[in-house]
Amino acid sequence: MKKVVLLFCLAFTIVLIGCKSPIILVEGEPTVIKGEEVVEVQFTYDNLRIGNEPEDEYVKRRMQEFEDDGKDGQEWHDAWLRDRTDRFEPRFIELANNYTEEKFGLVFKKDQDDTRYIVKVNTYFTEPGFYTYVRNKPAAVGLNITILERNNPDTPVAVFDMPEIEGIVTPDVGTRITSAYRFAGRIFGSEMTKYIR
């Protein structure tokens, strides 16, 4: 009987570990934005690490690899930065709004300077992943999301952490990372419905 109980407890612990939430409320009270119609979203990439490297080292290495292959390293870097505004950020917002706009009337938007609250999404980790015929690895992103009151930006209202949100496996690296932002937006939007319903 003791063995059965022990096995049950072990199995239950494994299930709990496996069900760890992808988003964690670190501090604060997100319910303050309940009733708001528009909240500005700002994206930052402070202290970003790409895999095991600081972003500047990763970029320098990748640009050199392109140059060594006779390609334009600067063109790659421009596309790397452009993907943020053209692909990653819009998909995050789109998926978050899918949860909050229709049911709760809350819309997240960039470039809104008259909102009471700001959601600051800082990407601190990106794993680009890889795609080969032998082995594949999905992209992943780590995000810190802070809700701030515009008139008091030094005191966060709430802080969330999303340590490692994985995307899908696909040949194109930009699409892999975009999918991770889509999943992150969906998770954030779903989480916010708990506080604004």
Side-chain angles (χ1 to χ4, degrees):
M1 184 65 179
K2 286 183 179 180
K3 285 184 179 180
V4 173
V5 172
L6 191 61
L7 285 172
F8 176 79
C9 290
L10 180 61
F12 185 68
T13 302
I14 291 170
V15 168
L16 284 178
I17 292 170
C19 293
K20 182 180 176 185
S21 175
I23 184 168
I24 303 156
L25 177 61
V26 178
E27 64 175 292
E29 188 47 69
T31 55
V32 295
I33 67 170
K34 183 176 181 177
E36 297 295 316
E37 294 181 359
V38 181
V39 172
E40 183 182 18
V41 183
Q42 298 176 356
F43 289 88
T44 56
Y45 300 85
D46 299 337
N47 302 311
L48 175 59
R49 295 189 68 82
I50 310 297
N52 296 320
E53 301 174 275
E55 186 190 18
D56 57 347
E57 291 181 13
Y58 173 80
V59 166
K60 183 178 179 181
R61 178 174 61 79
R62 291 292 287 144
M63 288 179 70
Q64 187 60 55
E65 289 172 355
F66 271 81
E67 298 290 345
D68 291 345
D69 289 341
K71 299 175 184 176
D72 188 341
Q74 186 59 51
E75 186 176 310
W76 169 84
H77 188 220
D78 292 344
W80 170 260
L81 295 176
R82 193 166 55 245
D83 272 353
R84 294 176 177 177
T85 54
D86 291 356
R87 302 173 77 180
F88 308 159
E89 297 167 11
R91 295 295 81 77
F92 179 94
I93 292 172
E94 175 190 358
L95 270 292
N97 284 337
N98 281 352
Y99 283 86
T100 62
E101 184 173 8
E102 189 173 333
K103 278 191 174 182
F104 303 99
L106 172 62
V107 178
F108 296 103
K109 287 185 178 180
K110 287 177 65 175
D111 304 318
Q112 306 290 305
D113 59 5
D114 59 349
T115 61
R116 183 177 177 186
Y117 293 101
I118 298 167
V119 169
K120 184 176 179 182
V121 181
N122 183 61
T123 302
Y124 60 83
F125 171 75
T126 298
E127 167 54 59
F130 56 85
Y131 183 92
T132 68
Y133 291 109
V134 181
R135 291 176 60 233
N136 302 312
K137 183 175 184 178
V141 293
L143 309 175
N144 184 265
I145 301 176
T146 306
I147 301 175
L148 305 166
E149 189 169 9
R150 188 176 297 275
N151 293 334
N152 188 20
D154 294 330
T155 306
V157 172
V159 178
F160 292 94
D161 187 37
M162 303 176 74
E164 191 168 345
I165 308 301
E166 288 190 350
I168 61 173
V169 173
T170 186
D172 178 63
V173 64
T175 303
R176 287 197 300 269
I177 299 174
T178 299
S179 70
Y181 277 93
R182 285 176 59 86
F183 288 133
R186 185 164 68 183
I187 292 165
F188 176 68
S190 176
E191 181 73 8
M192 288 309 300
T193 64
K194 299 176 185 178
Y195 303 104
I196 62 176
R197 64 176 70 248

